Amino acid sequence: MLPVVVLFAAGFFFVPQRPALSWWAPAFPRTERHYLELACAARGPDELVLQPEIFGRFDPSDAIVLPLSPSEHAYSFSFPLPDAPLTALRLTARPGAAPLEIRSLRIVTGDGREVLRLRRASFSPVADEEIAATENGWTIRAGHRVPGQASVFTRFSGPVLAPGANHRNAVRCASSVAFLAGVLAVLLLAGTLAVRPRLGKRLCLTLGSLALLAAIVSHRGLLLASLRTWHSPKPPPARALRLELDARTARASPAQLFWNTGRGISEEQSARAAYRDTPHLETLTFPLPAETAVGLRFDPLDHAGSVVVQSLRLVDDTGRTRALIPLETLRAVQQIDRLARGPDGLEIRTTPDATDPILDFDAAGVSLVNATVRAAGLGVPAGR
């Protein structure tokens, strides 16, 4: 009889199970997990659905559903992400008639360290939805083809998986299977003792084996997902770094980043980017050399004016955030009238007659950039 049960269970093991059951969830430290952090404001009553793509599919059981009330102020939310490789993310706002403003959307660790920042430029409409920049972020609005909802999605350059996910999945599988097997074994033994007061060793082993087999089959979704996670491709290694700057200014202007690797400041050791003629928040990108620097200089404008810098970060070529640079590391050098932290970021205001305003990074900022370059395996000592 037992061999027949084993064969039946083996066949049933591969029947899809969604969602995967977990009868015993061990408590892992928050810092070991990845979280999806969202700051948004809804102009009308909305329901926002955030759906990650896992193993090549958007499964409804993995969706995060968030009801939103109308508000001019942005509210922040944080959701734990599964210990599985995430390859894409889809956002759906229902009904989507009023624009939904996204102030910030990123994947972070439990202690707040940024892993991946999801920007407006990385999202694409599913149908004909409108994605528009705003002063502090970006909005999505339903189009004409699907008037009842607005859906946008982004695909990551590589799988996003929290460190230690395989260990946590192994502990989760072992503890949950053992817990359910123990409960089933007690129930089977109690039921058998009710009709058969004396139990032999062989019968006890048979009942225990059946309990373990039933527990394994009951956790087939969790076990198979953990195996697929273990065999999932690893994120590609970083080959280059860039400095990303989120800022807004009133008029179009170029900006320039210089790096001194021991040979002084020169045009050859610099990168340019440009603000567009828009008051909305923009992201400027400056590629960095694969070597450490002794100094960094930033020219925010080429004329008199003001810029509000919201964030500075170092990002590798796979899109992952390697480090956040504190805004306080920027120092005024030339033709800067005001440099102060405000509610929206760092306000940089030039002197009225400015033609070449200059900022530089203090020693702590340069050290952070160099440490990030070395940690990415790209660092060449300055001057070589």
Side-chain angles (χ1 to χ4, degrees):
M1 182 64 182
L2 186 58
V4 176
V5 174
V6 172
L7 288 175
F8 177 78
F12 192 70
F13 184 84
F14 294 99
V15 175
Q17 183 189 42
R18 299 293 298 176
L21 297 179
S22 181
W23 290 82
W24 181 268
F28 297 108
R30 178 180 170 86
T31 54
E32 296 182 0
R33 301 283 300 277
H34 275 177
Y35 293 79
L36 184 64
E37 185 183 89
L38 166 71
C40 66
R43 307 289 175 83
D46 262 316
E47 180 183 75
L48 180 62
V49 181
L50 303 104
Q51 198 165 12
E53 183 187 65
I54 302 175
F55 304 130
R57 58 179 294 187
F58 291 101
D59 196 290
S61 64
D62 298 319
I64 302 166
V65 181
L66 178 65
L68 297 172
S69 299
S71 173
E72 290 295 325
H73 303 286
Y75 292 93
S76 296
F77 307 90
S78 181
F79 309 97
L81 291 171
D83 277 325
L86 311 182
T87 51
L89 180 69
R90 183 167 64 196
L91 274 64
T92 301
R94 306 188 186 104
L100 173 70
E101 183 177 27
I102 307 293
R103 300 284 179 87
S104 173
L105 182 61
R106 57 186 194 152
I107 296 175
V108 298
T109 59
D111 55 0
R113 184 174 56 84
E114 183 174 295
V115 176
L116 184 68
R117 183 176 293 257
L118 305 174
R119 302 184 289 113
R120 174 181 64 90
S122 63
F123 279 88
S124 302
V126 173
D128 61 341
E129 292 82 1
E130 177 187 347
I131 306 175
T134 65
E135 183 177 341
N136 294 306
W138 46 283
T139 61
I140 58 174
R141 187 199 294 264
H144 299 290
R145 292 171 57 185
V146 188
Q149 67 180 31
S151 291
V152 297
F153 79 98
T154 181
R155 185 163 297 280
F156 309 144
S157 58
V160 178
L161 183 64
N166 290 325
H167 168 73
R168 289 191 297 276
N169 282 335
V171 173
R172 192 178 288 116
C173 290
S175 59
S176 192
V177 168
F179 174 78
L180 182 57
V183 171
L184 293 176
V186 170
L187 293 175
L188 287 173
L189 289 171
T192 305
L193 281 171
V195 297
R196 188 173 177 175
R198 298 186 64 181
L199 297 178
K201 182 178 179 181
R202 183 173 180 180
L203 181 58
C204 289
L205 289 175
T206 301
L207 293 177
S209 300
L210 288 174
L212 179 60
L213 189 62
I216 291 174
V217 173
S218 297
H219 288 87
R220 61 190 183 279
L222 179 63
L223 293 167
L224 290 173
S226 300
L227 285 173
R228 293 187 68 179
T229 299
W230 185 55
H231 284 288
S232 63
K234 301 298 183 287
R239 293 172 296 180
L241 284 178
R242 61 181 184 265
L243 176 71
E244 287 190 355
L245 176 146
D246 292 333
R248 66 174 187 272
T249 186
R251 48 184 283 208
S253 171
Q256 193 168 8
L257 178 72
F258 295 85
W259 51 85
N260 179 2
T261 58
R263 297 184 289 272
I265 297 293
S266 65
E267 287 289 330
E268 291 75 20
Q269 290 190 304
S270 72
R272 290 177 176 268
Y275 309 98
R276 294 179 298 172
D277 190 11
T278 173
H280 299 148
L281 190 69
E282 296 183 86
T283 299
L284 273 60
T285 300
F286 302 93
L288 292 174
E291 56 184 318
T292 55
V294 297
L296 291 168
R297 167 182 148 181
F298 177 55
D299 296 1
L301 299 166
D302 68 348
H303 56 74
S306 64
V307 180
V308 176
V309 178
Q310 192 178 85
S311 69
L312 282 167
R313 58 190 175 273
L314 296 171
V315 182
D316 64 27
D317 56 339
T318 69
R320 294 171 183 266
T321 302
R322 290 291 184 145
L324 295 179
I325 302 177
L327 298 177
E328 291 75 18
T329 61
L330 288 174
R331 302 180 302 183
V333 175
Q334 173 180 297
Q335 297 179 356
I336 301 296
D337 184 53
R338 175 179 170 81
L339 185 66
R341 186 70 180 262
D344 296 329
L346 183 69
E347 181 186 0
I348 305 169
R349 186 187 305 161
T350 72
T351 57
D353 58 346
T355 57
D356 187 22
I358 296 175
L359 302 167
D360 72 358
F361 290 76
D362 64 15
V366 175
S367 177
L368 176 59
V369 173
N370 288 336
T372 306
V373 169
R374 287 192 292 266
L378 307 174
V380 176
R384 292 199 180 174

